[in-house]
Amino acid sequence: MSRPVNVGFIGCGSVMNGPYMSLARELRERGRIRTVAACDVDPDRARATGERHDIPWVSTDPQQIIDSPDVDAVLVLTSMPEHGPLALAALEAGKHVLVEKPMSVTLDEAAKLVEAAKESAGHLVCAPSVILSPTYQDMWRHITRGDIGRVHLARARYGWAGPWWGQWFYRSGGGPLFDLGVYNVTSLTGWLGPVRRVAAMAGTATPERVVDDELIKVEVEDNFQILLDFGDATFASITTGFSMQAYRGPAIEVYGSKGTVQMMGDDWAPAGYELWQNDVGAWKIHGDRDPRWPWTDGLRHLVDCIDNDVAPSITPEHAYHALEVMIRAIDAGRDGQTRTIESIFTPPTFDTGDDRQDAHLVHAPER
């Protein structure tokens, strides 16, 4: 575009007011966006958000943001059950859209989003944006170039004790798999391709919780162990839940026939990676090339795509596949039956040339 992208926010909770506005202010200062509108169903919160972030127009009606000719791009940052309908309405209005994860909580609705993205004048970027991190892409290069041989196994993990706000987290359309495990599903499928089958164990570890100062019944599973089959004897596991008090160690480990590559930190907040190759016989520890990389980077990516008129690297088909994996995992956890995954997608690709990996080498022990 020949001018800054006009951004409107739908949902003014902690995700918008904290992480997304941090990046939005940076983009605004660089002249790449204008933050022109914000919406929240709570009028006091909408008004306070506008005043805090110097957003000139606030509303309690999402459709006003979607229909406004002054808004180029809509960010859907609401509770998860609202993601699909709002993103679909924005696409049908010809807007560019960033929707937080998951893209929807039902497959029928998600399929409509995929089709709408093909027809809309706007781009659709579906969180999470883990594939955009330099650490993720460096690991992709090692895997793609065969630096660890053929991948046999992988392990991913992300969880915590669970939110004490937002009762919707513990009701239908919520839960830790949609909120947390989606990062791991997206990361693993981005590296290894589409999942063919999924099996799972799932349960409710904490049946009652105090949320928003009220004791509530937990209506969804909050504890998961998931097994993914990528075909050709390549398997992965995911551990996620609102049931994990603390942990240390790599977020993701990928085991190949000639070595191992593992991500430190979490895939939404990577802290570099470690590489083992049999022919080297030592761990190589690589620092993060961009320690300031934010998990909200999908916003920057969307603006880049608008400015350059190119399709996003994060595709709706990938987000749909991740959603199908999660929904089938929930089903499998309930009846113990393995589920076949029907959807496919084209995994992301990046430059495989000389990426000067050793410039970020922290430590390479002697053999």
Side-chain angles (χ1 to χ4, degrees):
M1 297 182 71
S2 58
R3 59 170 175 78
V5 177
N6 290 341
V7 174
F9 300 87
I10 299 180
C12 297
S14 59
V15 167
M16 180 270 185
N17 274 287
Y20 271 98
M21 275 310 304
S22 178
L23 178 57
R25 281 194 299 270
E26 180 180 326
L27 293 171
R28 188 168 62 185
E29 290 168 1
R30 290 162 50 193
R32 302 203 62 197
I33 69 169
R34 298 189 189 103
T35 50
V36 298
C39 172
D40 197 277
V41 293
D42 183 333
D44 292 335
R45 185 159 56 188
R47 182 172 55 255
T49 296
E51 293 173 354
R52 177 182 176 186
H53 301 296
D54 193 26
I55 299 174
W57 172 45
V58 298
S59 173
T60 58
D61 182 359
Q63 198 62 43
Q64 289 185 343
I65 306 295
I66 291 169
D67 290 339
S68 172
D70 296 326
V71 173
D72 302 313
V74 174
L75 271 61
V76 180
L77 309 177
T78 61
S79 59
M80 292 185 284
E82 282 75 47
H83 288 176
L86 291 171
L88 182 60
L91 281 175
E92 290 177 341
K95 305 298 185 183
H96 303 288
V97 180
L98 183 150
V99 59
E100 254 301 326
K101 42 74 183 171
M103 67 191 304
S104 172
V105 297
T106 72
L107 288 175
D108 287 345
E109 198 169 68
K112 293 177 182 177
L113 271 175
V114 172
E115 292 306 310
K118 296 176 183 177
E119 303 295 331
S120 176
H123 296 306
L124 174 62
V125 169
C126 305
S129 57
V130 287
I131 71 166
L132 301 178
S133 86
T135 292
Y136 183 94
Q137 294 181 13
D138 286 347
M139 291 178 64
W140 177 90
R141 292 181 181 98
H142 286 299
I143 293 167
T144 301
R145 292 192 306 234
D147 292 347
I148 63 169
R150 190 174 78 80
V151 173
H152 295 307
L153 292 169
R155 178 205 59 78
R157 171 220 63 218
Y158 178 31
W160 73 297
W164 56 90
W165 69 93
Q167 295 185 7
W168 56 269
F169 279 106
Y170 301 102
R171 292 173 178 159
S172 178
L177 187 51
F178 285 171
D179 188 42
L180 310 177
V182 61
Y183 291 93
N184 294 164
V185 174
T186 303
S187 292
L188 290 172
T189 52
W191 284 321
L192 306 180
V195 174
R196 297 187 183 182
R197 295 187 302 158
V198 60
M201 290 183 287
T204 304
T206 307
E208 293 184 330
R209 291 177 181 256
V210 175
V211 184
D212 297 329
D213 299 320
E214 179 183 351
L215 182 65
I216 66 167
K217 180 180 178 180
V218 176
E219 300 174 3
V220 294
E221 295 87 346
D222 65 0
N223 200 32
F224 287 88
Q225 289 281 8
I226 299 168
L227 181 63
L228 307 177
D229 178 2
F230 291 89
D232 298 323
T234 299
F235 309 122
S237 65
I238 294 175
T239 300
T240 190
F242 293 145
S243 52
M244 302 168 69
Q245 307 306 310
Y247 51 75
R248 296 177 66 182
I252 304 180
E253 297 171 308
V254 182
Y255 307 101
S257 58
K258 298 179 181 179
T260 298
V261 62
Q262 56 191 29
M263 179 183 288
M264 309 309 292
D266 286 298
D267 48 4
W268 60 273
Y273 66 97
E274 298 180 346
L275 175 68
W276 172 277
Q277 293 172 285
N278 292 348
D279 58 358
V280 175
W283 285 101
K284 292 182 178 179
I285 304 173
H286 295 258
D288 198 326
R289 287 194 286 120
D290 183 5
R292 294 183 64 251
W293 181 83
W295 57 263
T296 53
D297 197 38
L299 171 56
R300 189 271 314 162
H301 184 59
L302 177 60
V303 173
D304 284 348
C305 292
I306 295 170
D307 286 347
N308 298 307
D309 193 25
V310 296
S313 299
I314 303 170
T315 67
E317 290 81 4
H318 190 177
Y320 179 92
H321 183 77
L323 179 64
E324 185 186 1
V325 170
M326 293 187 293
I327 287 176
R328 301 309 180 210
I330 293 170
D331 293 340
R334 289 174 177 171
D335 64 15
Q337 300 297 310
T338 298
R339 293 299 197 279
T340 298
I341 304 300
E342 297 180 358
S343 62
I344 59 173
F345 71 101
T346 301
T349 59
F350 310 98
D351 178 18
T352 57
D354 179 12
D355 52 12
R356 300 182 184 276
Q357 301 276 344
D358 288 342
H360 315 289
L361 190 62
V362 176
H363 179 60
E366 295 293 333
R367 292 185 64 175

